[in-house]
Amino acid sequence: MAKKDDEARKKVLRAYADRKDGHSQLCRDIERNEKAFLAVVERGADVEQWETQYTPPYAQQVVDTVVANLIDDRVRVNVRPRPLMADFQTRERHIAGARAHELLLSYQLDRDRWSEKKATFMQQAAICGFTVAKVHWVTEETPVRTLDQTEVPTYDDFGNVVGSEMVQEENVGSHVIRDDPTIDVVRVEDFMFEEAAVDIQRAPWLIHRVYTTLDELKRLQKAGVYSGVNAIPTDPDGYHTSQEDEFSTLYTELYGDKRNKNRVELMEYWCKESDGSQRCITLADRQYVIADRRFTFTNGEYPFVVCTTRPNRFRIPGRAILDSIRDAQSYLWTLMNQRLSNLRLVANTVVAYRDDLLDRELFEIYPGATVPVQGDVREAIMPLQLDSTPAMITLQAEALMKGDLQNLTGGMPFMSGTESSSIDQKTATGVSIVTSLAQRMVASQKQYITWAEERILQQMLHLNQQNIDADRLIPIIGQEGAEAFMSMGPGVRAGTY
């Protein structure tokens, strides 16, 4: 067993070491985009205190607008049986199965609150260039108190049974409240893949890094998910010393929060073996193998789905929206701060004085102030007449830059008061052209989201076929809220869809 664990540990650490440099570069690019999204700018050492450092989050507003246009309220599930040549009864069974899967998947998406998770899913794609979803099975139980009635015999004074009575007893048991597939949005900083891979389903291996508490690991060990958790060390107070996050420290810098504080780092290493089976090795703190499982999903795929709305040819990460507007936002900030700094100089009087006629220590300006001056005051003190042109000269350039921010992301500049010289947006024709271009770009990006959700639903369907071994009652909501139920048995679930 120790030899097998050593082989598994080396396998995971070798893959991690091979990809570490490339993944670090990817995370640095993501961090630059994240700072642009949050409008985080470090004040330069050569910037004076009086100079304006105004950084409105234009990129954040653009990203939020694009994401809002890409997200639909609900996902409409449409399941169809694959074309097949079969008898009438088989075809009818597949048609009924398709309808049952539609209802079941719609219920499971609502139960999993996918509509809420989708905002994070898509925002990550806009900022990072791609986003990842993990589809897996979850079983949740909760203690339930029940009041049961039991019939007990009654006796007379001589011990003879003379009848019976009903007695109520309170019992506590576990009840399964959920036994369905679920979708987790994965941080791309915690998702690693082999560097030459162009498609995750054809990648030799994948690594998904997560952080969890030691108590949670012990609970999962009791449930039979992990083993050897007790070997993970703790300090005398029961706390665990966490591994340092080598790839992302931005949120610690901004908010002081450490997402891995007192948590165990888990590396889930996924690979496909030569016999067609899948292998998942779970390595805790890069040292302890707490799970090494071989299994086969019915679809033969990794339980991950990658989505990008702007593909980058022959690469898994796509092109982020922030990649297009990050430099434009930075340059817009530069122009704006130059204008505002000049405006502060013009609005606040700059005074020249002769040091031989005026004591600087006694010179203070405030309403009603008196200043002792030797000689003619007009020779001792004189306000500088600064040119106000620099405070206004960048306005047109700023308007053009704001228009570029919208154009680069498929926005509609004429709706936000920005300008762009490429198309006359003051005419109906110009407005129509810009609107048509924006709609086409949004439609194209939505199609990539639809394809990703199709792959997610396909994996959920296969998990249902693989894990549901009893009849299911599926709720159906009809017109005007009318409710009904449909029974889904093994015969209905079978088939290819």
Side-chain angles (χ1 to χ4, degrees), residues 127-375:
I127 297 173
C128 305
F130 71 110
T131 187
V132 183
K134 182 180 181 181
V135 185
H136 60 100
W137 196 264
V138 61
T139 300
E140 297 177 359
E141 296 182 354
T142 185
V144 176
R145 295 179 182 273
T146 59
L147 198 61
D148 300 327
Q149 290 187 343
T150 306
E151 185 178 4
V152 297
T154 57
Y155 302 91
D156 60 15
D157 295 339
F158 301 99
N160 299 318
V161 177
V162 296
S164 63
E165 63 178 354
M166 301 301 294
V167 177
Q168 291 185 341
E169 293 182 354
E170 185 181 80
N171 297 315
V172 179
S174 62
H175 176 69
V176 177
I177 59 174
R178 188 178 181 192
D179 195 26
D180 297 296
T182 186
I183 308 167
D184 290 340
V185 180
V186 178
R187 292 180 78 249
V188 294
E189 294 94 330
D190 295 331
F191 185 73
M192 303 175 68
F193 44 85
E194 197 261 343
E195 61 182 343
V198 297
D199 181 359
I200 63 167
Q201 298 303 338
R202 291 184 289 167
W205 55 263
L206 303 172
I207 292 179
H208 177 210
R209 186 180 62 168
V210 295
Y211 292 95
T212 187
T213 62
L214 198 56
D215 291 338
E216 177 67 11
L217 289 180
K218 290 179 179 179
R219 185 187 68 81
L220 292 173
Q221 180 176 242
K222 290 182 180 179
V225 178
Y226 297 128
S227 62
V229 174
N230 296 331
I232 300 175
T234 59
D235 61 20
D237 296 327
Y239 290 100
H240 175 73
T241 302
S242 306
Q243 292 281 343
E244 290 296 328
D245 190 346
E246 300 173 298
F247 301 120
S248 178
T249 59
L250 178 60
Y251 282 89
T252 302
E253 296 173 6
L254 294 179
Y255 310 117
D257 299 331
K258 294 185 65 176
R259 68 188 187 94
N260 57 344
K261 183 178 181 180
N262 197 32
R263 279 168 168 74
V264 181
E265 180 195 65
L266 299 183
M267 285 188 186
E268 286 185 355
Y269 173 88
W270 298 79
C271 66
K272 296 180 179 178
E273 298 295 309
S274 57
D275 59 359
S277 65
Q278 292 184 333
R279 185 180 183 185
C280 179
I281 304 170
T282 305
L283 188 65
D285 279 347
R286 309 180 193 180
Q287 185 174 358
Y288 307 97
V289 177
I290 60 175
D292 187 356
R293 302 184 295 271
R294 291 175 185 262
F295 50 89
T296 303
F297 288 129
T298 55
N299 59 2
E301 296 182 348
Y302 294 122
F304 298 96
V305 173
V306 169
C307 174
T308 175
T309 58
R310 296 152 60 95
N312 197 358
R313 64 191 188 107
F314 305 116
R315 295 193 72 230
I316 291 176
R319 293 173 291 116
I321 294 176
L322 267 299
D323 291 338
S324 302
I325 64 176
R326 185 180 62 210
D327 292 340
Q329 177 181 248
S330 178
Y331 191 64
L332 177 58
W333 285 342
T334 300
L335 292 177
M336 181 184 300
N337 286 315
Q338 287 176 345
R339 174 173 57 84
L340 293 177
S341 295
N342 282 309
L343 183 62
R344 292 188 67 183
L345 283 174
V346 174
N348 295 273
T349 303
V350 179
V351 177
Y353 68 94
R354 287 181 55 177
D355 56 2
D356 60 331
L357 300 179
L358 179 67
D359 187 349
R360 179 67 183 88
E361 295 182 357
L362 300 177
F363 181 41
E364 294 186 30
I365 296 179
Y366 56 87
T370 58
V371 181
V373 176
Q374 299 179 9

Side-chain angles (χ1 to χ4, degrees), residues 29-93:
D29 293 339
I30 292 173
E31 187 168 300
R32 282 196 293 269
N33 285 349
E34 192 79 43
K35 287 183 175 180
F37 177 75
L38 298 173
V40 176
V41 178
E42 296 180 2
R43 194 179 187 93
D46 57 343
V47 178
E48 299 292 339
Q49 288 296 321
W50 64 268
E51 292 187 60
T52 304
Q53 288 288 282
Y54 180 46
T55 57
Y58 292 113
Q60 189 175 125
Q61 186 265 341
V62 170
V63 168
D64 290 345
T65 301
V66 172
V67 171
N69 287 329
L70 294 178
I71 294 179
D72 294 324
D73 294 337
R74 290 176 62 92
V75 177
R76 295 174 181 252
V77 181
N78 189 4
V79 180
R80 292 290 179 267
R82 295 188 183 278
L84 73 162
M85 300 298 293
D87 57 73
F88 175 77
Q89 291 182 345
T90 302
R91 293 199 303 271
E92 288 299 309
R93 187 173 66 250

